[in-house]
Amino acid sequence: MRCLFYWMLVTVSLIEVNARLQKTFYRSFKCQNHKCSRTLRPLAEPPRIGTSLEVLEEHSTLAACRLVCDPFAALWPIPTGLTTLGNKYTEIHPYQFKFVTSAIPEEVKSFVDEVTGIFTHNLQSFCDSEYLAKNGTSIAVTLSVDSSDLTLDWLTIESYSLDLRFDDSGSKGEARLTAQTVYGLRHGLETLLQLTAPVIMQGGIRGLVIITSANIKDAPEFVHRGLSLDTSRNFVTVPDILRTIDGLSSCKMNVLHWHVTDSQSFPIEIKRVPAMTQYGAYSQAKIYSTEDVKLILKYGKARGVRVIPELDMPAHSGAGWEWGEEAGLGRLGVCIGSQPWQEFCIQPPCGQLNPTNANLYNVLREIYKDIIDLWGPSEIFHMGGDEVFIPCWNSTKEITDAMLSRGLGQEVDDFLQLWSEFQASLLNVVNEERGKAGGRNVSTILWSSYLTSPEVIEKYLDKNRYVIQTWVESSSPIPRQLLNLGYQIIVSTKNTWYLDHGFWGNTKYHTWRDVYKNRIPKTDKVLGGEVASWGEYVDSGSLDPRLWPRTAAVAERLWSNPIRMSTAKVEPRLHGHRDRLTIRGINSDAMAPEWCAQHDAECQ
Amino acid sequence: MVGVKSFIVKLCARPYCGRSKWVSWVWCTNSQTVQAQTSRLVRMMVGGVPSGKMRRALMVLILVMGVLFIAMYARTPPIVSLQPFTARSLKQLQHLVTFMGNNHTSESPETKLYEYSEIHRNFQSPWSWGCVAGRCERRAVRSSRTSLATCTALCGGNERLIWPRPTGDVFLGENSVTFHLQQITLVTVNTSDQEVKNLLEHAKDVFLGNIRSMIKVQNAKARSSIDSFVIYLSAGDVLGTRQTLTTDESYNIQVTLKGKLLEAKITGKTYYGVRHGLETLSQMIWWDEAAGRNGILRAISSASIRDKPTFGYRGLLIDTGRQFFAIEELKRVVDGMAASKLNTFHWHLSDSQSFPYDSPQFPEMARWGAFSGDQVYSPEDVKDLVDYAKVRGIRVLIEIDAPAHAGAGWQWGAENGFGELALCVDQQPWSAYCGEPNCGQLNPFNEHSYKILEGLYRELLDITELRDIIHIGGDEVNLECWAQYNNITMAMQAQNITDLHALWGDFETKALHRVFRANHNHVPKAVVVWSSPLTKRPYINTYFNPQLHVIQSWGGSNWPETPELLEDGFRVILSHVDAWYLDCGFGRWRETGEAACGEYRIWQTVYNHRPWKDYSQKEVSLILGGEAALWSEQVGRASLGPRLWPRASAFAERLWTDSLSNGYTIEENVYTRLAAHRELLRSRGLHTEPMWPQWCSENPGKCL
């Protein structure tokens, strides 16, 4: 009887095991002609990881396959310097990276610690906790940095060189990462991270492998590689912004151009002028507090991303500026919410600052005091300056009267004069406050506009003080003309790098291929480019898929600027980077059916 | 006694529910509950007249609780970690950043942090909304604010708030009451069938969950203006909860305020009607953030609505063949559908790219066909979704597309002795053998293919228990795929078949009989097939039967396709590609060729599409309804929500309400109601696309 009981027990458990085995199956991926493809048959066990001595036939994950199959080890963006990569990998554990920081200047040691901490955290997210508990091959990573400077700007040297090798047995590894600045070092670690890949081990545990040899020299083609993010049309939460910074850092983008305010809302807390958010924020939950901003800036810097704020003025200002009269300061903004809006602005709600109200400049001074407190006295600001709608000012008697008293008429040139005076006064206020805070005069970025049109720009804007961000179509001569006049520019090609297109009017959605293929002029005066996410039709609900993977496509254009690289060749690597983003919690849009991601070049 | 009370108040007013890593929310909530209980006790003692022993006993109780409180307080972590977020110094934030860098959790700590700090920020908004000529206008005020939600709910006549707009008589009052969630009681009355009663219990939970999700501040102290809120549900003497093509979805609601009792009566003729009524009722409830210090729930206090849908079939297609979506993600889709009374979740389960269903009879299907071992649906998963949907008034209509759009998962036949189940699987150049890579088409001469198809449908139909409507796919067959095989052409010759269309038609006939058997020989009222060359003249009259087949017409709305089908007397479900394909507009996903289907259909395009406006009454009677389709070539898991909402909501109103439309302009009330509906979806946790800048929602009518 007892025997029977045991027999039944064994049988039942066998059936259970059988059922479990039946359910679990694994995939493997094979490399052929530098392309990875899923093999046809399901496997009962994942393929072996092997030792570092072997070139494997099959891999348990696409990422591992790409690591040794892709000519660039699926690095994104591809390095610009001499690069040699091995074709084998070996098992590694996140905690087995031993960082040697003796060649790091004291002043930047804590920063480097933070950067290596982020590196380890990202590695961990590849692995299951069972795997994390194990020990394995160790790798000594010797870091060295020349500069003790933590400044991140257009002069920061972001190059690095990375040398990674393992001994013949594959049990001991060594890496040397050399950079001039901590930011170059950070980029190097990002590359090192991309030289690892998740694998599936026996029993389904997710582990990690690293390529066994790599020698990379790398430096960016453009110094300004940015994403412009609009948080005014619709609010974007702080965690969303932090996650976006994660994404930017994963592809070595270095600027988050934060279009904080617009005529729709004013969501950034100004401690000295609390009315700005009280009137201008959508709700109390939709405010970036001073602490939030500090967190965002700090978070960005540790990831090599400089946050450049833009309070767009004098147009695109309405929400938050309504309280002037009540406070006895007169109208700070005009045409705010005027209807029919078509007569006063290009998009509702209308609103434009009142440049003839002297009190406005006092308020601006207070606002910028806060901004300088947050960002620091020598940081570059974007001052907006786009789409001033002359009929708004022209229909405001207070303004036309004041213009008359200054000897200005009501012609377009007169309004441009008024606008340029506003811009000069604003810059003056900001520079005075910078000076008081111990800063120096730095450049200011402005959107291209009437004021920056090549015929008149020299009359209004000093080429040594202003950098122009052009947002014209790729066929427009304006960027070239501004370059010829000697202006520095940042390019945001409207017909490919505007991520909001395709959801309104006659605009067309720009696929990652369109985005990737867009090439911008390459001269000393071209600082770089920015991809733009305007917020009319995007908020937290759809931010990630709107930005990614297209922003990553721009990242490679700006870092590597490949000349002979067809999108067909690029596609598998971008699929690979998309998977990396997913592991980091950034949910990109799909580029194609998943089958295509699993079968390189089969869907063309 | 007073001392104890003030001590408690003081203790609880301290912001000790700050973000400490270990206690955080749980602790905070507990203490507040305790506080609530204690203060109720204190009120009893102060207000009531207990004396003697009773008073002493209560005193002791209070003291004990006080001691407990002090004990709890003493056990909390050091005070530093309990500071509210706004008081944190940058140094602490730096610590946080480092902490985040070293923390291995899926939910990032900063998310929790911001959930917390958002609620506790101090902020006095000057904005208030007033009703001016049926429209809410924003203005700055010094005191007594009216929130946008309250204004929107009470302003705008009878064409307000409810999405989709009811089709019968509507009266919506302009008064409201405040109440707490706990004051709601749901009572089933006049309902005889036990099965209906049981399902209503689930519907009650869903309703309460939906109301709970509106609450923005837990334990807000604002006062309720009523004593109780009783909701009576009546489904009459209907038997069973089976959803069929003729299920009556109509309902009535009466909301009346009787003194301090708010009463709502929902009457339907089936479970589904009552459920829709509850959905409508939940849209008459909102969170009023301007009431009291932290806001409170509010409801319209008088209303009467008679409502029923214009079209009986209101579907949404989700494609899990091109991409895998987890069951939880599909449940969010069902949530969105329920909110706008869509009633059919058309699950395009498999395609040539993957076969994610883990069939117990044919485990090889998923093993060969799923993207990975993690990307499969077990029968339990399917059942889970079916049950979830049923409670929300939605049938799950599962399609295993055949004979085309079938490749992945069908490759295991040859090496298991069943021959080639599918042909041209993954064949290149794909453009010669299928509409998009990767290719695959079932083998029409292999009996095993039909047997497996039958087995799969049997399993799935036993789970969905949907006996009266079955979708069998049938689109985009590439005849060249079959024509290239010698044995097929030879077999055709042997059977005297000359036109390859006949081969296809033959497949449809055989498949149909298999599906009948899978349905336990129960002949369904509707067998749905996609429109295709085979559903065109002359083939349609040879291979399809108007009494049985329903054609899902997905061609362009100005094509002759739909009118011809109606002329031939076929019932149709409309899914016109130029209006109701929600996946269009994202350019081409391949290196070559054109973008799949043109531009993005903005919600206005979706809403304005009213192809039946020129049809005769007889023709309209053949339209079962419509279906919006989200094919997933270019839909990642994060875009599932925003691609669907609010556009699928706009689609839902077209089918439920079918307001007259000139095809170009949309009335202002539609914008206002849809903006409110989007907020409702967001409160229920759905990811949605914005309709416009939020400013436009806050300033109704100003962005048109």
Side-chain angles (χ1 to χ4, degrees):
Chain A
M1 195 64 203
R2 185 176 281 183
C3 257
L4 187 67
F5 175 74
Y6 279 126
W7 178 81
M8 276 175 66
L9 204 70
V10 168
T11 317
V12 167
S13 56
L14 263 181
I15 291 168
E16 268 177 13
V17 167
N18 221 7
R20 198 161 55 85
L21 280 183
Q22 278 249 308
K23 279 211 154 136
T24 323
F25 56 91
Y26 298 94
R27 296 274 178 248
S28 75
F29 298 86
K30 219 171 184 165
C31 177
Q32 260 175 348
N33 302 328
H34 297 296
K35 293 183 185 91
C36 286
S37 257
R38 194 176 99 192
T39 57
L40 189 61
R41 286 169 186 75
L43 305 176
E45 286 293 336
R48 294 174 315 117
I49 305 302
T51 70
S52 59
L53 300 175
E54 312 174 61
V55 177
L56 293 172
E57 280 276 302
E58 290 187 18
H59 309 271
S60 62
T61 60
L62 256 180
C65 181
R66 290 196 176 113
L67 190 62
V68 288
C69 184
D70 184 90
F72 293 98
L75 287 174
W76 192 278
I78 48 167
T80 52
L82 262 181
T83 298
T84 49
L85 296 157
N87 58 355
K88 294 171 227 166
Y89 54 68
T90 188
E91 209 182 314
I92 187 80
H93 285 72
Y95 302 134
Q96 297 306 316
F97 284 81
K98 306 292 181 201
F99 293 100
V100 183
T101 55
S102 47
I104 301 288
E106 255 337 286
E107 298 88 330
V108 297
K109 248 190 179 138
S110 68
F111 188 93
V112 169
D113 285 347
E114 200 171 335
V115 167
T116 54
I118 294 166
F119 173 84
T120 310
H121 168 68
N122 283 329
L123 271 185
Q124 282 169 9
S125 52
F126 286 149
C127 314
D128 284 337
S129 49
E130 288 115 299
Y131 186 79
L132 288 172
K134 289 193 345 188
N135 275 331
T137 317
S138 80
I139 173 165
V141 186
T142 309
L143 305 176
S144 83
V145 163
D146 297 338
S147 164
S148 57
D149 192 0
L150 281 173
T151 313
L152 178 57
D153 60 19
W154 291 322
L155 300 176
T156 302
I157 296 167
E158 296 175 285
S159 61
Y160 67 91
S161 68
L162 174 66
D163 185 54
L164 169 71
R165 63 190 60 182
F166 275 78
D167 63 8
D168 290 341
S169 70
S171 60
K172 204 159 169 294
E174 198 183 16
R176 276 175 197 287
L177 177 52
T178 315
Q180 299 219 26
T181 66
V182 289
Y183 300 103
L185 184 84
R186 194 218 75 82
H187 294 324
L189 280 175
E190 200 67 54
T191 301
L192 185 59
L193 183 72
Q194 295 191 0
L195 292 174
T196 68
V199 283
I200 295 172
M201 330 264 301
Q202 301 295 307
I205 296 166
R206 196 165 280 267
L208 192 68
V209 293
I210 187 166
I211 203 163
T212 51
S213 86
N215 191 307
I216 297 171
K217 292 197 172 28
D218 197 7
E221 285 287 302
F222 292 98
V223 297
H224 187 104
R225 306 180 302 281
L227 163 70
S228 167
L229 184 69
D230 171 7
T231 61
S232 169
R233 268 59 177 255
N234 281 301
F235 186 77
V236 175
T237 66
V238 175
D240 286 335
I241 293 179
L242 300 184
R243 202 173 58 254
T244 302
I245 289 174
D246 285 340
L248 294 174
S249 72
S250 80
C251 47
K252 303 191 176 81
M253 294 280 263
N254 66 0
V255 171
L256 176 68
H257 166 188
W258 188 4
H259 183 86
V260 198
T261 66
D262 211 294
S263 60
Q264 284 87 349
S265 79
F266 195 105
I268 184 172
E269 180 188 33
I270 302 293
K271 287 221 150 127
R272 289 176 174 86
V273 197
M276 298 308 296
T277 43
Q278 279 172 8
Y279 278 77
Y282 283 131
S283 73
Q284 69 186 74
K286 296 186 173 179
I287 291 178
Y288 304 105
S289 73
T290 301
E291 300 301 321
D292 293 339
V293 176
K294 285 177 184 164
L295 175 63
I296 290 167
L297 298 188
K298 163 113 185 77
Y299 194 90
K301 209 158 182 197
R303 285 154 183 81
V305 176
R306 173 163 62 137
V307 180
I308 298 178
E310 176 196 353
L311 307 179
D312 202 350
M313 292 170 190
H316 289 286
S317 306
W321 293 98
E322 302 95 334
W323 49 275
E325 280 173 294
E326 202 182 342
L329 300 177
R331 292 162 77 189
L332 300 172
V334 293
C335 337
I336 298 178
S338 291
Q339 294 278 354
W341 60 266
Q342 288 87 344
E343 291 175 19
F344 303 99
C345 58
I346 50 117
Q347 161 190 84
C350 300
Q352 216 152 279
L353 295 186
N354 178 1
T356 60
N357 180 346
N359 292 322
L360 172 69
Y361 300 94
N362 296 330
V363 177
L364 288 173
R365 185 181 296 276
E366 296 303 305
I367 290 175
Y368 268 98
K369 275 183 189 168
D370 262 38
I371 299 293
I372 289 168
D373 281 354
L374 288 167
W375 262 268
S378 304
E379 289 294 320
I380 281 171
F381 301 143
H382 197 304
M383 290 187 181
D386 58 326
E387 300 189 308
V388 167
F389 201 77
I390 289 171
C392 162
W393 280 344
N394 201 8
S395 64
T396 308
K397 188 156 184 303
E398 184 184 337
I399 290 177
T400 47
D401 284 354
M403 287 171 75
L404 207 63
S405 69
R406 278 193 226 168
L408 292 171
Q410 277 175 271
E411 298 302 313
V412 171
D413 280 351
D414 300 311
F415 286 102
L416 289 185
Q417 182 62 32
L418 179 72
W419 178 3
S420 71
E421 283 170 17
F422 165 82
Q423 184 53 46
S425 310
L426 173 62
L427 185 64
N428 199 31
V429 163
V430 173
N431 281 343
E432 273 175 31
E433 292 307 321
R434 275 189 176 126
K436 283 185 209 158
R440 56 201 161 82
N441 284 357
V442 290
S443 304
T444 294
I445 310 173
L446 284 183
W447 289 107
S448 59
S449 67
Y450 294 132
L451 206 61
T452 71
S453 63
E455 301 80 50
V456 298
I457 185 168
E458 288 178 295
K459 185 172 157 200
Y460 299 121
L461 300 168
D462 181 347
K463 58 176 69 77
N464 297 315
R465 304 185 91 176
Y466 287 99
V467 171
I468 311 302
Q469 180 169 9
T470 61
W471 57 286
V472 291
E473 309 217 329
S474 45
S475 57
S476 165
I478 285 178
R480 285 279 171 203
Q481 289 169 337
L482 290 174
L483 288 171
N484 291 341
L485 293 172
Y487 284 84
Q488 288 187 305
I489 64 167
I490 293 163
V491 183
S492 291
T493 316
K494 192 178 172 183
N495 56 338
T496 49
W497 285 0
Y498 266 34
L499 301 185
D500 58 314
H501 281 191
F503 300 90
W504 55 275
N506 291 323
T507 57
K508 179 177 143 281
Y509 182 87
H510 311 307
T511 65
W512 73 264
R513 288 184 177 84
D514 305 332
V515 165
Y516 189 87
K517 282 186 207 150
N518 181 47
R519 298 189 60 198
I520 62 173
K522 177 85 181 97
T523 78
D524 289 351
K525 296 280 183 189
V526 181
L527 295 171
E530 274 182 21
V531 60
S533 172
W534 298 107
E536 284 88 347
Y537 300 96
V538 63
D539 64 8
S540 292
S542 54
L543 184 69
D544 281 13
R546 189 63 50 83
L547 296 181
W548 308 100
R550 295 187 292 164
T551 299
V554 177
E556 178 154 301
R557 173 56 55 213
L558 291 171
W559 178 281
S560 326
N561 201 20
I563 295 165
R564 277 183 295 276
M565 179 77 82
S566 69
T567 47
K569 274 194 175 163
V570 165
E571 187 177 0
R573 238 172 357 97
L574 187 55
H575 273 302
H577 194 68
R578 183 181 176 272
D579 290 345
R580 281 187 205 114
L581 290 169
T582 309
I583 291 175
R584 287 195 182 183
I586 298 150
N587 288 308
S588 316
D589 219 338
M591 294 159 58
E594 185 162 346
W595 190 90
C596 302
Q598 293 182 333
H599 296 80
D600 283 355
E602 289 285 311
C603 288
Q604 291 171 356
Chain B
M1 211 160 65
V2 174
V4 172
K5 184 186 175 185
S6 65
F7 170 65
I8 291 166
V9 171
K10 196 174 155 199
L11 198 64
C12 294
R14 281 192 70 90
Y16 53 34
C17 31
R19 201 197 67 84
S20 97
K21 221 184 297 175
W22 313 115
V23 270
S24 70
W25 276 109
V26 184
W27 204 82
C28 168
T29 324
N30 281 346
S31 70
Q32 283 183 4
T33 329
V34 174
Q35 182 217 348
Q37 284 163 0
T38 321
S39 53
R40 208 156 38 234
L41 208 60
V42 171
R43 264 206 311 279
M44 267 167 57
M45 293 175 67
V46 177
V49 282
S51 59
K53 279 185 183 169
M54 184 68 171
R55 175 182 287 181
R56 247 168 282 157
L58 280 170
M59 274 287 274
V60 169
L61 200 64
I62 291 282
L63 278 172
V64 168
M65 291 199 75
V67 170
L68 275 173
F69 247 96
I70 292 163
M72 275 174 78
Y73 192 71
R75 282 174 61 90
T76 60
I79 200 79
V80 192
S81 62
L82 300 175
Q83 292 299 314
F85 175 59
T86 37
R88 277 172 177 269
S89 66
L90 183 60
K91 201 169 170 192
Q92 283 168 311
L93 284 173
Q94 282 168 5
H95 173 75
L96 180 76
V97 173
T98 328
F99 163 73
M100 291 186 309
N102 293 327
N103 193 13
H104 179 63
T105 53
S106 52
E107 194 186 1
S108 60
E110 69 265 28
T111 313
K112 286 181 208 151
L113 174 76
Y114 282 95
E115 276 169 13
Y116 164 70
S117 57
E118 276 175 13
I119 292 162
H120 287 263
R121 270 176 204 158
N122 265 333
F123 175 84
Q124 286 297 317
S125 170
W127 299 117
S128 177
W129 281 264
C131 189
V132 180
R135 174 199 274 177
C136 290
E137 283 196 2
R138 196 180 72 154
R139 57 199 173 203
V141 296
R142 289 204 179 277
S143 60
S144 61
R145 288 178 57 221
T146 302
S147 65
L148 173 65
T150 300
C151 183
T152 311
L154 301 176
C155 170
N158 290 328
E159 295 208 331
R160 66 177 198 254
L161 211 53
I162 316 296
W163 190 278
R165 191 166 63 75
T167 51
D169 299 333
V170 179
F171 162 73
L172 292 171
E174 284 169 13
N175 294 318
S176 63
V177 292
T178 56
F179 66 98
H180 297 298
L181 180 68
Q182 300 81 347
Q183 291 179 307
I184 300 179
T185 314
L186 289 131
V187 189
T188 308
V189 295
N190 299 334
T191 305
S192 47
D193 188 54
Q194 194 54 41
E195 196 184 322
V196 177
K197 282 183 184 170
N198 292 346
L199 204 53
L200 280 174
E201 290 308 308
H202 290 290
K204 290 173 185 175
D205 288 342
V206 173
F207 174 81
L208 289 174
N210 286 339
I211 306 305
R212 188 177 294 115
S213 68
M214 293 176 187
I215 298 174
K216 287 188 181 153
V217 180
Q218 301 296 329
N219 302 313
K221 299 287 185 300
R223 284 183 52 145
S224 161
S225 60
I226 55 170
D227 290 338
S228 60
F229 182 1
V230 184
I231 302 162
Y232 297 99
L233 306 177
S234 151
D237 45 14
V238 65
L239 290 179
T241 59
R242 181 157 288 191
Q243 191 177 10
T244 68
L245 288 172
T246 50
T247 294
D248 188 322
E249 295 178 278
S250 66
Y251 67 92
N252 295 337
I253 296 187
Q254 295 284 343
V255 181
T256 39
L257 183 61
K258 297 176 174 165
K260 289 219 150 197
L261 166 69
L262 183 65
E263 221 176 64
K265 286 183 184 160
I266 299 176
T267 318
K269 296 192 179 87
T270 64
Y271 167 78
Y272 298 93
V274 178
R275 189 222 78 88
H276 292 328
L278 273 172
E279 186 58 55
T280 300
L281 183 64
S282 74
Q283 297 183 6
M284 292 192 248
I285 297 169
W286 65 98
W287 179 256
D288 182 2
E289 57 174 21
R293 252 175 68 88
N294 295 319
I296 192 168
L297 289 168
R298 200 179 266 282
I300 290 181
S301 59
S302 72
S304 89
I305 293 176
R306 288 154 57 85
D307 195 10
K308 62 170 195 211
T310 306
F311 291 99
Y313 183 102
R314 304 179 304 282
L316 181 61
L317 177 142
I318 299 294
D319 165 13
T320 59
R322 273 62 176 243
Q323 312 282 352
F324 180 83
F325 302 104
I327 287 291
E328 285 308 310
E329 288 158 348
L330 299 181
K331 284 184 180 173
R332 297 292 81 72
V333 174
V334 168
D335 288 342
M337 293 174 69
S340 47
K341 303 190 179 88
L342 288 169
N343 68 359
T344 306
F345 181 99
H346 175 176
W347 189 353
H348 184 82
L349 183 61
S350 60
D351 210 294
S352 59
Q353 286 85 352
S354 79
F355 193 97
Y357 173 59
D358 193 6
S359 157
Q361 274 182 90
F362 308 106
E364 296 302 321
M365 294 299 296
R367 289 167 65 88
W368 288 67
F371 290 129
S372 76
D374 299 328
Q375 290 164 294
V376 292
Y377 304 107
S378 68
E380 295 75 33
D381 289 334
V382 177
K383 173 94 173 99
D384 187 19
L385 185 70
V386 167
D387 291 344
Y388 189 88
K390 182 171 186 180
V391 174
R392 287 157 183 80
I394 294 162
R395 66 167 76 84
V396 177
L397 177 63
I398 299 181
E399 170 199 359
I400 296 174
D401 205 350
H405 291 285
W410 295 90
Q411 313 99 319
W412 53 278
E415 59 190 69
N416 287 279
F418 297 111
E420 296 292 351
L421 300 171
L423 301 171
C424 37
V425 177
D426 303 349
Q427 195 173 351
Q428 294 284 7
W430 61 265
S431 53
Y433 306 106
C434 58
E436 74 181 28
N438 48 321
C439 295
Q441 209 154 283
L442 293 189
N443 180 352
F445 283 114
N446 188 341
E447 276 305 307
H448 293 294
S449 303
Y450 297 97
K451 276 185 199 156
I452 293 168
L453 200 59
E454 176 188 330
L456 293 170
Y457 266 103
R458 184 189 301 272
E459 283 179 27
L460 292 165
L461 289 170
D462 284 349
I463 298 173
T464 64
E465 294 187 318
L466 208 58
R467 302 289 177 204
D468 68 331
I469 177 167
I470 297 176
H471 202 302
I472 59 169
D475 59 326
E476 298 189 308
V477 169
N478 187 307
L479 299 173
E480 294 308 311
C481 162
W482 285 337
Q484 63 178 322
Y485 291 92
N486 277 335
N487 51 352
I488 287 193
T489 44
M490 279 158 66
M492 280 175 67
Q493 277 165 12
Q495 294 181 22
N496 237 344
I497 303 175
T498 45
D499 184 355
L500 283 158
H501 285 92
L503 193 58
W504 180 3
D506 194 42
F507 178 93
E508 297 297 343
T509 312
K510 283 183 183 163
L512 186 68
H513 288 294
R514 292 287 176 170
V515 168
F516 287 169
R517 283 167 59 171
N519 204 29
H520 304 287
N521 292 319
H522 179 97
V523 177
K525 295 265 185 304
V527 174
V528 190
V529 293
W530 290 106
S531 59
S532 70
L534 205 65
T535 66
K536 286 190 170 43
R537 299 165 184 167
Y539 303 111
I540 185 160
N541 296 315
T542 315
Y543 300 109
F544 298 104
N545 172 2
Q547 304 309 315
L548 185 64
H549 286 101
V550 170
I551 315 296
Q552 184 163 7
S553 171
W554 63 279
S557 55
N558 52 0
W559 296 6
E561 180 180 285
T562 311
E564 283 182 9
L565 289 168
L566 296 172
E567 221 169 277
D568 290 348
F570 278 88
R571 291 166 295 163
V572 295
I573 292 168
L574 301 180
S575 292
H576 292 146
V577 57
D578 49 345
W580 289 344
Y581 266 35
L582 303 183
D583 55 307
C584 302
F586 292 84
R588 59 187 164 89
W589 51 271
R590 296 185 300 267
E591 275 301 311
T592 52
E594 287 303 304
C597 50
E599 76 278 20
Y600 183 81
R601 323 302 188 217
I602 58 174
W603 72 263
Q604 290 93 333
T605 305
V606 173
Y607 188 86
N608 273 333
H609 188 54
R610 202 166 174 268
W612 46 80
K613 61 178 184 290
D614 301 324
Y615 295 170
S616 72
Q617 205 175 357
K618 180 170 165 280
E619 285 169 331
V620 172
S621 70
L622 290 171
I623 300 174
L624 296 185
E627 187 170 285
L630 183 66
W631 301 101
S632 63
E633 282 89 348
Q634 291 162 287
V635 181
R637 48 185 291 253
S639 20
L640 188 57
R643 285 274 206 292
L644 290 174
W645 317 111
R647 294 188 297 159
S649 318
F651 164 78
E653 176 156 303
R654 172 53 55 216
L655 288 176
W656 181 281
T657 317
D658 192 29
S659 312
L660 292 175
S661 150
N662 61 11
Y664 302 103
T665 52
I666 292 177
E667 287 175 42
E668 186 179 324
N669 83 74
V670 176
Y671 282 85
T672 310
R673 277 185 303 113
L674 187 56
H677 188 71
R678 181 178 174 264
E679 278 309 307
L680 182 93
L681 294 176
R682 281 162 57 90
S683 79
R684 294 186 188 176
L686 269 78
H687 292 286
T688 67
E689 192 111 289
M691 289 165 63
W692 48 20
Q694 193 183 334
W695 189 91
C696 301
S697 300
E698 294 188 351
N699 294 270
K702 296 282 170 66
C703 288
L704 305 180

